[in-house]
Amino acid sequence: MAKVTQISTRKSDHIRINLEEDVRSKLTSGLERFRFIHQALPELNLEEVDLNLDLFGRRLKAPLLISSMTGGTEEARQINLTLAEAAQATGIAMGLGSQRAAIDHPELIPSFQVRQVAPDILLFANLGAVQLNYQYGLQECLRAVEMIEADALILHLNAVQEAVQPEGNTHFAGLIHKIEAVCKALPVPVIAKEVGWGFSERAARLLSDAGVAVIDIAGAGGTSWSQVEMHRSETESQRRLAAAFIDWGIPTADSIRMVHRTAPELTIFASGGIRSGVDIAKCIALGATMGGMASPFLKAAVKSLQNTIEVIHEIEREIRVCMFAAGAGNLEMLHQTDLIEVNPYA
Ligand SMILES: Cc1cc2nc3c(=O)[nH]c(=O)nc-3n(C[C@H](O)[C@H](O)[C@H](O)COP(=O)(O)O)c2cc1C
């Protein structure tokens, strides 16, 4: 029971710190360096711009993902249900937070289950990849997928977050072989995801060779987990260690280009500091298939379901107008659209 209490405290801390503190990276996403070429004559009708996307057997009405966040407490259950209901109402995708708590403590499973309100959404399970070096294996991955009826499994990579915590799981050696084994045996696709520091070319190559279907960038420029951990630190020394990483990581725009260049066959989800539909459209033009956001959706969900749906509609509208004014009638055309890079190293 003490362990359950510890997990609940950590999950509540994460939500509270993300809502109350400034936990932004000192880096920007890099997307501000890119511009579309405006088309005065788009030769399109705005309402006919097609945002639909088919992925893993599900149809999305917009290329938008509510990034993995939470589970494990009553507050988290409410947030998950609000997010899932909004995703169902608007036809977008969603990831649940790390399910380790529910695997170790099955009484927490209901706080992750959302299919009762979101039967049709593209839904992702989530576990820390490093747990594969701490006695987790295929069975735990399968349980994570089955307990929430997910369409794919996200394995998140959070080396810096683990390294700046006193209780962190930092045995990352040999992990790629474990990830490869899961990719081979799991009946659903595996998505490798960062949590806010992005993927390099080297990481993309290893993960692509290991058989992941998707890389979810979660690059630098948005929520910084070293900053979150800094606010959880119990000693000055821990605090300073976490604070030293405020400008760590690969900005989202740069990471998308690195991964796309290295493994063009991989599907890319863009995330990390994405804050508008225009950002998402830029990411798709840079090589991504869809864009995800975490922090903005957390802030919307704690207000209300209505607010969350409005935020989603606003983002969708921005993507639509952006595609219209760039002359891209569908997502494939957006993918092929060139961007201008302004001030490459500003
Ligand atoms: C409250 C909160 C909890 C999170 N928990 C997880 C998690 O359990 N698993 C995971 O892969 N990412 C987790 N993340 C990271 C997000 O999915 C995302 O990659 C990161 O916050 C960057 O996106 P953003 O800048 O839009 O917030 C969490 C983020 C937030 C804000």
Side-chain angles (χ1 to χ4, degrees), residues 13-244:
D13 279 355
H14 286 165
I15 292 172
R16 182 186 53 75
I17 292 168
N18 272 287
L19 289 173
E20 292 175 6
E21 307 287 349
D22 182 358
V23 292
R24 283 173 300 177
S25 166
K26 209 168 150 185
L27 300 177
T28 65
S29 68
L31 292 166
E32 70 286 353
R33 301 199 316 263
F34 295 90
R35 301 260 185 286
F36 281 97
I37 301 170
H38 170 66
Q39 299 300 340
L41 197 59
E43 288 291 315
L44 294 167
N45 298 331
L46 179 64
E47 294 313 321
E48 285 166 19
V49 171
D50 183 4
L51 271 68
N52 287 304
L53 172 69
D54 292 310
L55 200 61
F56 302 147
R58 303 269 182 190
R59 167 146 283 216
L60 277 70
K61 289 196 189 138
L64 182 55
L65 164 70
I66 299 172
S67 294
S68 305
M69 280 188 277
T70 200
T73 65
E74 175 51 28
E75 183 189 20
R77 188 182 75 87
Q78 291 292 347
I79 291 171
N80 281 338
L81 287 173
T82 301
L83 292 171
E85 224 175 314
Q88 173 77 21
T90 54
I92 66 165
M94 174 177 171
L96 270 308
S98 169
Q99 292 161 257
R100 184 177 157 206
I103 287 184
D104 295 348
H105 305 282
E107 65 274 27
L108 301 179
I109 289 175
S111 67
F112 290 88
Q113 288 174 322
V114 297
R115 276 292 184 211
Q116 67 276 26
V117 297
D120 306 312
I121 66 170
L122 179 60
L123 185 66
F124 302 136
N126 189 299
L127 283 177
V130 74
Q131 295 312 316
L132 298 172
N133 269 351
Y134 289 82
Q135 292 174 347
Y136 274 29
L138 183 64
Q139 283 319 309
E140 285 73 19
C141 293
L142 271 172
R143 269 168 63 199
V145 169
E146 284 165 4
M147 83 167 69
I148 63 157
E149 299 169 62
D151 300 299
L153 172 68
I154 290 175
L155 289 176
H156 71 256
L157 289 150
N158 62 341
V160 176
Q161 185 190 6
E162 298 289 348
V164 300
Q165 297 175 56
E167 76 271 29
N169 295 141
T170 49
H171 293 174
F172 275 68
L175 202 50
I176 194 68
H177 304 297
K178 310 271 178 75
I179 294 174
E180 187 174 8
V182 172
C183 290
K184 282 214 172 92
L186 203 70
V188 295
V190 174
I191 300 165
K193 173 181 175 298
E194 242 291 346
V195 300
W197 292 292
F199 287 92
S200 64
E201 289 171 342
R202 187 180 99 161
R205 169 61 44 228
L206 286 169
L207 289 162
S208 165
D209 290 348
V212 305
V214 178
I215 285 188
D216 183 337
I217 300 287
T223 306
S224 159
W225 277 85
S226 56
Q227 286 301 102
V228 177
E229 294 304 335
M230 183 191 80
H231 286 287
R232 288 184 63 234
S233 303
E234 283 170 5
T235 68
E236 266 312 304
S237 172
Q238 268 173 38
R239 205 181 155 77
R240 281 195 296 274
L241 174 65

Side-chain angles (χ1 to χ4, degrees), residues 1-14:
M1 202 58 193
K3 269 203 169 153
V4 181
T5 314
Q6 250 176 32
I7 291 169
S8 303
T9 310
R10 193 165 73 228
K11 298 286 170 189
S12 309
D13 279 355
H14 286 165

Side-chain angles (χ1 to χ4, degrees), residues 287-335:
T289 293
M290 70 172 163
M293 305 186 198
S295 165
F297 286 128
L298 177 66
K299 288 172 181 153
V302 294
K303 285 190 194 143
S304 67
L305 171 62
Q306 195 48 40
N307 182 252
T308 312
I309 292 175
E310 278 164 20
V311 168
I312 294 169
H313 281 317
E314 207 167 288
I315 296 164
E316 188 208 300
R317 191 84 188 155
E318 282 172 13
I319 301 173
R320 182 180 296 281
V321 173
C322 187
M323 289 170 68
F324 175 64
N330 58 45
L331 295 174
E332 192 42 49
M333 287 168 77
L334 181 60
H335 213 48

